[in-house]
Amino acid sequence: METLLVTLAAVAVAGFVLFKAIHIIPQATAGVVERLGRYHRTLSPGLNLVLPFVDRLKRTVDLREQVVSFPPQPVVTSDNLVVSVDTVVHLRVVDAKAATYEVSDFLTGVEQLTVTTLRNVIGDMELERVLTSRDEINTELRVALDGAGSWGIKVGRVRLKAIQPSAEIQESMERQIRADRDRKAALLAADGQKQAAILSAEGLKQAAVLKARGEAEAVVLRAQADAEAKAVRARGEADAIGMVFRAIHDGKPDQRLLAYQYLRTLPEIAKGDANKIWIVPSEMAKAVENLGGLFSTKDRTAEETG
């Protein structure tokens, strides 16, 4: 009976010792082991054996990337305006030993380092530049947080979630924005009216030019038409005179007949606008005198007969 009890006690002690000697470390986690109070080694993920009662697992450190959001911090700009800045830091532990022994709490250390850097960076900027230079601030924050590498921490990204000015500053900014919009709208309206006036003046100018050009072309066309009409009438009169003379020539007239036909043609010749001067040949004058004598002789004979 006593042997059985001793055996059970030995088994229980062995099981307890084995339990204390075996440590299972999860994936993406590191275990920091101390031996007699001093750092001994870092346990990797999986099954690990340590000396019970000599080695002690001080802590396990998460090696995954952590997204830490810090509460908004009031920061004063160079133009003495207070803004509330909300930041997000992406970090991960790359050295479990340094993260355990170099700083008591690396998350608190990163937060305080972020706040200090924000105040230094934003304190040298005016509010307008702070609101438009987020990338620049993120870069300077990341460079400053690289100093946390001595804590076994690697900072991947730093982002400013929000930059919130006070209510008074926001109201003032909104008034300024509205004033700028009104000024731009007035400038656009004035420019539109100016362009409309220019286009109207150009339209009136072009209309006047086209009207004058049309009137000039109309005058030219009327002059050409009058000239062509006169030329046609002149050709017609010339053709008519030529026909008369050809007919007279074909009939072999004497001087009295020629004089008579010339007298009949004179009114037609006088109708032409281009005929201002008449030239009467001397032979035709003699023929007219003979013709007048002939009419006088016929009259006397008629009287005697009557």
Side-chain angles (χ1 to χ4, degrees):
M1 187 65 180
E2 293 181 357
T3 304
L4 180 60
L5 292 175
V6 171
T7 302
L8 291 176
V11 171
V13 171
F16 179 74
V17 170
L18 184 62
F19 174 77
K20 295 292 292 184
I22 295 176
H23 288 282
I24 299 176
I25 305 300
Q27 182 66 32
T29 305
V32 178
V33 176
E34 293 179 346
R35 176 168 291 181
L36 300 178
R38 299 182 61 182
Y39 171 76
H40 176 58
R41 66 191 178 100
T42 301
L43 301 181
S44 59
L47 180 64
N48 294 271
L49 296 177
V50 298
L51 293 177
F53 309 110
V54 177
D55 294 339
R56 182 174 69 91
L57 181 63
K58 181 176 179 60
R59 65 180 297 187
T60 57
V61 180
D62 192 348
L63 301 180
R64 295 172 298 178
E65 182 172 330
Q66 303 180 43
V67 181
V68 183
S69 178
F70 300 127
Q73 299 293 328
V75 182
V76 180
T77 62
S78 62
D79 47 356
N80 295 324
L81 298 176
V82 180
V83 293
S84 179
V85 183
D86 191 2
T87 57
V88 176
V89 179
H90 297 251
L91 57 87
R92 63 187 180 89
V93 177
V94 295
D95 187 351
K97 176 184 175 182
T100 302
Y101 296 104
E102 297 297 332
V103 61
S104 60
D105 186 353
F106 62 86
L107 291 179
T108 302
V110 170
E111 179 182 359
Q112 295 302 319
L113 183 59
T114 302
V115 172
T116 304
T117 306
L118 275 176
R119 290 175 178 172
N120 292 334
V121 173
I122 296 179
D124 295 334
M125 297 181 177
E126 294 182 354
L127 178 60
E128 184 177 359
R129 185 183 173 191
V130 171
L131 296 176
T132 58
S133 304
R134 292 197 177 194
D135 292 338
E136 181 181 352
I137 298 174
N138 290 335
T139 302
E140 295 191 21
L141 279 174
R142 188 174 180 279
V143 172
L145 291 176
D146 282 341
S150 60
W151 299 342
I153 298 171
K154 176 66 175 177
V155 176
R157 293 183 298 276
V158 181
R159 293 289 180 267
L160 299 180
K161 286 175 56 178
I163 300 177
Q164 193 74 21
S166 62
E168 294 80 5
I169 298 175
Q170 289 184 7
E171 184 178 357
S172 176
M173 291 173 62
E174 290 176 358
R175 287 198 300 267
Q176 181 178 359
I177 292 173
R178 286 196 296 269
D180 291 340
R181 288 178 180 174
D182 294 340
R183 180 176 59 83
K184 291 180 180 179
L187 290 176
L188 291 176
D191 186 64
Q193 293 176 358
K194 176 182 176 182
Q195 294 296 330
I198 292 174
L199 292 176
S200 178
E202 290 181 352
L204 294 175
K205 176 183 176 182
Q206 292 179 1
V209 170
L210 293 176
K211 181 179 179 181
R213 187 179 300 171
E215 292 177 353
E217 292 178 355
V219 170
V220 172
L221 291 176
R222 283 196 297 268
Q224 291 178 353
D226 293 341
E228 291 178 356
K230 291 179 181 179
V232 170
R233 285 197 297 269
R235 286 197 298 269
E237 293 171 358
D239 293 340
I241 294 172
M243 291 176 62
V244 170
F245 277 99
R246 283 196 298 272
I248 294 172
H249 179 72
D250 293 340
K252 296 179 181 181
D254 54 8
Q255 292 183 353
R256 295 177 179 178
L257 180 58
L258 289 174
Y260 176 70
Q261 292 296 334
Y262 181 75
L263 291 175
R264 292 183 59 187
T265 309
L266 285 179
E268 298 296 330
I269 297 175
K271 294 180 180 179
D273 296 335
N275 298 326
K276 304 300 181 182
I277 299 175
W278 297 345
I279 300 175
V280 180
S282 59
E283 293 81 359
M284 187 63 66
K286 292 180 180 180
V288 171
E289 291 177 359
N290 294 332
L291 183 61
L294 176 62
F295 287 149
S296 299
T297 304
K298 289 183 178 182
D299 292 337
R300 285 194 302 272
T301 304
E303 290 176 358
E304 292 176 357
T305 305

